[in-house]
Amino acid sequence: MTTAGIITGGATLAQATVDLGAVAHNTKILTGCTTAQVMAVVKADAFRHGLLPVARTALSHGATWLGVTSTTEALALRAAGIDAPILSWLHRYDSSFASAITAGVDLSVSTVTHLHMIAAAAERAGQPAQVHLKSDTGLSRNGAVGADWPELVTWARRYELGGRMRVRAIWSHLADADSPASPGSPASPTVQRQVAAYEGALAVARAAGLDPLLRHLANSAATLTAPHTHYDLVRVGIALYGVEPIPGRRFGLRPALSLRSSVINVKRVPAGTGVSYHHDHVTGVATTLALIPVGYADGVPRAAGGKARVWLGGARCPIVGRVAMDQCVVDVGDAPVRIGDEVVLFGDPAEGDADEAGATEPGRGVPTVSEWARWCGTNPHEILTGLGARVDRSHKECL
Ligand SMILES: *Cc1c(COP(=O)(O)O)cnc(C)c1O
């Protein structure tokens, strides 16, 4: 099934393949490590893996909630016939909340301004809004800080008594659950402080008369390592896509997306040959250069030049010189690479380098998106969501 892409009258220059079997596998790992319900976070087109196929796969393998950042994404899920609970959490104050309420989409609320608008929309929709009040427990992004929290919960309770909303959840988001924990401590000091602040926010909400059925705080990293943050529901994003969320630790997740292209030109060049714009790279010895038709417009960061490696001819080969908008050059040494050979930029290392038991050594085989993130000075999320519009995407169904 191809869900995006441009018809180019033949092979596309870059292909993203999403293995839904890996999404299913990762969902099972995540549901297996908690007794809480699992929300599959499918914002940003499921981290560019495809909103609908990922949502359906996660729901049929143990996830019970979907999480998105906008009502637009939530309504797209409803329009496709998905009737699982959905939470949407970033809203202009003047969003068209009524359509979300009518569609049974839960709305996160962080300010009294939004709360009043949602109450008015519920009145128009003729049905109560299901809301999740968000407490800022230390991230300083969305959520209400301690000083504003009592007013938010008081108004919410008033609207609840008036039949305009039901406060289904109190929630918050962690700042650094993906930091490697210091030995002997279950989580970072920031996580501990945030849990304490969250407990405080819950107590204030209960004192105001609220009785939320759901409490949720954990992201992928906390789901895998900090059970005391699980409460009733965990929200998993990056781990669902098979990216190990904590540097240096492995939980058996399988990368779901691989980015491929193929060699379109090969040339033997002497030592001293300048490569790509401004000749940032000059060959040290005679070597073979392979041209790959993907560049920064496709999501290969310019920062990858001279740093990243691709899987080509059964080995890791470096990208040399500047990455251009549409192409980049790979130094393959003396390998017998030919026009048409497949290149895997990133994907599942098991594909290139599994031993007989299916195990892989870190740093070998097909590069992972985490390695790409390190090479480019960013995080895996940015590499995945940065894949360009002309990358053709297809899905391998899970069995
Ligand atoms: C993106 C997001 C998540 C998922 O985080 P991961 O670290 O990718 O698991 C969870 N909660 C909120 C509020 C988010 O914005």
Side-chain angles (χ1 to χ4, degrees):
M1 166 178 55
T2 297
T3 54
I6 301 163
I7 306 303
T8 56
T12 51
L13 296 174
Q15 302 94 37
T17 309
V18 178
D19 179 0
L20 294 173
V23 173
H25 167 86
N26 300 332
T27 309
K28 282 187 255 175
I29 288 192
L30 292 158
T31 53
C33 69
T34 184
T35 53
Q37 293 190 70
V38 171
M39 174 188 290
V41 177
V42 292
K43 63 191 181 187
D45 195 23
F47 291 46
R48 189 66 171 95
H49 290 59
L51 177 69
L52 296 177
V54 169
R56 291 195 175 107
T57 303
L59 289 172
S60 57
H61 290 86
T64 51
W65 277 78
L66 297 173
V68 291
T69 50
S70 69
T71 54
T72 309
E73 294 167 310
L75 293 173
L77 289 162
R78 285 283 182 261
I82 291 175
D83 59 7
I86 300 173
L87 174 64
S88 168
W89 60 74
L90 285 175
H91 310 117
R92 292 168 54 126
Y93 84 99
D94 58 348
S95 298
S96 50
F97 291 119
S99 46
I101 293 167
T102 306
V105 172
D106 287 29
L107 298 167
S108 173
V109 185
S110 297
T111 78
V112 174
T113 306
H114 288 80
L115 196 77
H116 293 325
M117 295 297 273
I118 288 170
E123 178 88 32
R124 282 197 304 281
Q127 77 185 74
Q130 301 281 344
V131 305
H132 297 215
L133 298 181
K134 188 166 192 185
S135 159
D136 180 356
T137 55
L139 186 57
S140 304
R141 276 186 353 190
N142 219 345
V145 294
D148 299 333
W149 184 248
E151 189 191 4
L152 185 66
V153 297
T154 302
W155 269 109
R157 180 60 183 152
R158 217 171 278 164
Y159 283 131
E160 204 172 54
L161 290 171
R164 303 248 207 115
M165 62 182 61
R166 165 80 183 112
V167 177
R168 175 128 71 157
I170 304 285
W171 73 302
S172 189
H173 192 40
L174 296 170
D176 71 346
D178 55 346
S179 299
S182 48
S185 108
S188 84
T190 307
V191 171
Q192 309 301 45
R193 273 197 300 274
Q194 287 196 260
V195 168
Y198 182 63
E199 291 288 340
L202 282 171
V204 171
R206 290 203 184 98
L210 295 175
D211 178 27
L213 291 172
L214 294 173
R215 298 160 298 164
H216 52 106
L217 182 60
N219 61 358
S220 290
T223 299
L224 289 163
T225 61
H228 68 296
T229 64
H230 291 186
Y231 294 98
D232 308 302
L233 175 67
V234 296
R235 306 181 308 271
V236 297
I238 196 70
L240 195 62
Y241 306 101
V243 176
E244 297 287 356
I246 301 176
R249 295 194 60 181
R250 303 222 279 170
F251 298 92
L253 303 167
R254 266 175 45 204
L257 188 146
S258 64
L259 179 64
R260 290 157 204 277
S261 183
S262 67
V263 174
I264 63 162
N265 198 347
V266 178
K267 58 194 62 172
R268 189 72 189 168
V269 298
T273 303
V275 180
S276 192
Y277 291 133
H278 295 270
H279 290 176
D280 286 355
H281 178 77
V282 177
T283 58
V285 295
T287 191
T288 300
L289 301 177
L291 183 65
I292 316 299
V294 290
Y296 56 79
D298 305 296
V300 173
R302 284 183 89 231
K307 301 241 170 58
R309 285 162 187 273
V310 303
W311 186 252
L312 172 54
R316 288 183 164 205
C317 302
I319 293 180
V320 290
R322 287 196 192 179
V323 172
M325 185 184 292
D326 319 292
Q327 48 192 306
C328 60
V329 176
V330 172
D331 188 334
V332 302
D334 297 325
V337 164
R338 293 185 312 188
I339 289 174
D341 284 358
E342 184 184 68
V343 181
V344 189
L345 287 94
F346 55 79
D348 187 348
E351 191 190 317
D353 192 52
D355 63 21
E356 277 171 18
T360 52
E361 284 286 307
R364 300 192 47 194
V366 171
T368 62
V369 70
S370 299
E371 289 178 291
W372 268 77
R374 212 162 48 245
W375 290 328
C376 299
T378 182
N379 67 357
H381 313 57
E382 189 177 25
I383 300 281
L384 290 169
T385 56
L387 290 181
R390 64 188 177 183
V391 173
D392 180 61
R393 189 179 63 206
S394 60
H395 290 90
K396 259 196 275 179
E397 296 296 335
C398 60
L399 303 174

